[in-house]
Amino acid sequence: MSKAAKTPAPAKAAGRAAAKPSGPGKTSARESRLDVREARVHAPSSKRGRGASVKDAPLELHEAPATLNGYIAYLRTATPLQRVAAEREGVPAQVVKHMATSMDVPAVRMFNILGVAKATAESKAAQQARIAGASGQAALGMLCLLAIVKDIVKESTDAATQDFDSAKWLGRWIEQPQAALGGQRPADLLDTPTGYSVVARLLGSLQSGAYQ
């Protein structure tokens, strides 16, 4: 196996980061719980019937949390039909900018990965508009990758994972050539649904060390 395929899994990388002090951008277990709580608070209720759950409610995207972690937590509660609505409506441009900052990826590079012009993305962010179409779906894919890493870290029993920076780890990982992807970088495959599926499967396999 080539060196590129031996990228450490998030949980293992967190173990090596145990001695590092937490800092800006680090997400604690308590913050993760707050993110989920925020998602539930902002979940739509206007069309919710008596006894219905948040998952049963239609996805009113204008009520979704504007923060990156809140948006990820919100999407986690979505049903398949609600995800379809999210794909059609797109992702708030401001959330995409926050995602780039959180992942320590230059905004220009993030826009390039998602296939959207910098001027367009900046304009939409200023107008509090959404990035839709193929670029919006790519952004949703990136958000889902973040959720996968967070889940891997959450399921780890290593105490060091409490302050592990999942977003920055993912920001580095997507730029590294992977042998399982024929030497390509994950970032270069996220512009298509199939490419995202391949990357998501590879990312999930890191938890068990089964590179496919």
Side-chain angles (χ1 to χ4, degrees):
M1 185 179 298
S2 67
K3 183 177 181 181
K6 295 182 179 179
T7 306
K12 294 180 180 178
R16 290 203 294 270
K20 295 183 179 180
S22 60
K26 299 291 181 71
T27 302
S28 66
R30 178 176 179 275
E31 290 173 327
S32 296
R33 289 194 295 271
L34 290 176
D35 291 334
V36 174
R37 184 181 304 172
E38 178 187 2
R40 290 172 178 169
V41 169
H42 286 78
S45 59
S46 58
K47 299 180 182 180
R48 194 182 311 164
R50 181 176 299 177
S53 66
V54 171
K55 284 189 175 183
D56 296 325
L59 184 63
E60 298 178 11
L61 293 174
H62 63 280
E63 295 185 14
T67 64
L68 174 62
N69 288 331
Y71 199 82
I72 293 173
Y74 188 61
L75 288 175
R76 276 175 167 157
T77 70
T79 65
L81 288 180
Q82 291 171 336
R83 284 180 175 271
V84 169
E87 291 173 356
R88 288 174 175 167
E89 293 295 327
V91 177
Q94 198 62 41
V95 168
V96 173
K97 292 188 67 175
H98 290 167
M99 179 167 62
T101 300
S102 182
M103 293 173 64
D104 201 20
V105 174
V108 174
R109 173 57 179 158
M110 179 61 73
F111 298 150
N112 180 260
I113 293 173
L114 302 180
V116 58
K118 179 179 183 297
T120 299
E122 293 289 359
S123 175
K124 288 184 176 294
Q127 299 172 20
Q128 296 186 340
R130 296 175 181 276
I131 296 176
S135 297
Q137 292 185 29
L140 278 171
M142 189 74 80
L143 289 167
C144 290
L145 292 182
L146 275 170
I148 291 173
V149 177
K150 288 177 179 292
D151 285 342
I152 291 175
V153 173
K154 181 180 179 180
E155 293 172 7
S156 172
T157 58
D158 194 323
T161 60
Q162 181 175 345
D163 295 317
F164 182 66
D165 198 322
S166 302
K168 287 187 177 180
W169 182 91
L170 181 63
R172 294 190 296 270
W173 183 79
I174 61 172
E175 296 287 19
Q176 297 174 358
Q178 303 294 323
L181 300 178
Q184 297 186 75
R185 298 177 299 182
D188 297 331
L189 301 176
L190 298 177
D191 59 334
T192 71
T194 300
Y196 161 75
S197 296
V198 171
V199 172
R201 186 165 60 249
L202 174 62
L203 184 59
S205 72
L206 294 180
Q207 185 173 20
S208 61
Y211 300 95
Q212 301 176 359

